[in-house]
Amino acid sequence: MQPDVVLVGHTSLGKDISPRVAAKCGAGLISDCTAVETNGEQITFVRPIYAGKAFQKKNSQEGMVFATLRPNNFEIRETAVQTAIVDFQPEITDLRTIIKEVVRKTASGIDLSEAKIIVAGGRGVKSAEGFQPLQEWLRHLAAQ
């Protein structure tokens, strides 16, 4: 059973791997999608262009299509469409690069792409102690 659509997160790993796997499978790729619309069997992917000032709608014409979805843009919702989740294991040979291990970041704190509020301090804070008032202010905001 071959999937019609393969969805991948538009993360650093997804942006790196999805075009390569799509090319090896002979499939098209629609990247950085912020919305997906369905009309019967037709699937339309919406992606921003011109720094988000306009949106482009792309339809897959035939065959398998890969799409990368921008994180935090999709809500989980119930649909009437019947779908099947298939564990897809493509047969890919002749890779020049093999990923042996994915190392997650070890920094503490929240990932900037997941943060609701970002506070930055420049050279004016001078040292690590200069960031203390900013961190106290953030704790105050979080407590409210």
Side-chain angles (χ1 to χ4, degrees):
M1 179 175 191
Q2 182 120 356
D4 294 324
V5 178
V6 177
L7 303 175
V8 180
H10 192 72
T11 61
S12 58
L13 183 60
K15 289 185 282 188
D16 186 36
I17 293 205
S18 57
R20 297 171 192 218
V21 176
K24 289 286 185 180
C25 293
L29 172 67
I30 303 172
S31 64
D32 197 21
C33 300
T34 56
V36 178
E37 301 168 356
T38 57
N39 184 9
E41 299 264 328
Q42 183 71 35
I43 301 174
T44 303
F45 297 93
V46 181
R47 55 187 303 267
I49 56 174
Y50 303 120
K53 293 181 177 30
F55 291 92
Q56 179 180 50
K57 291 187 175 186
K58 293 279 210 173
N59 296 326
S60 64
Q61 299 300 322
E62 59 183 48
M64 184 186 344
V65 65
F66 277 69
T68 62
L69 306 178
R70 189 180 285 187
N72 301 322
N73 278 351
F74 295 89
E75 295 179 16
I76 299 173
R77 60 184 169 135
E78 296 293 325
T79 65
V81 177
Q82 295 296 320
T83 60
I85 298 175
V86 178
D87 185 14
F88 176 57
Q89 300 292 330
E91 294 181 26
I92 299 173
T93 58
D94 302 329
L95 286 178
R96 290 185 286 170
T97 304
I98 297 173
I99 298 173
K100 292 185 177 183
E101 179 182 8
V102 176
V103 179
R104 301 285 179 207
K105 68 177 188 169
T106 58
S108 63
I110 299 173
D111 184 11
L112 288 180
S113 64
E114 301 290 327
K116 292 182 181 178
I117 299 172
I118 299 173
V119 177
R123 290 184 179 188
V125 296
K126 299 203 190 296
S127 65
E129 291 81 30
F131 281 96
Q132 292 299 328
L134 292 174
Q135 291 174 347
E136 290 174 18
W137 183 71
L138 284 174
R139 282 191 213 100
H140 175 71
L141 278 178
Q144 290 181 349

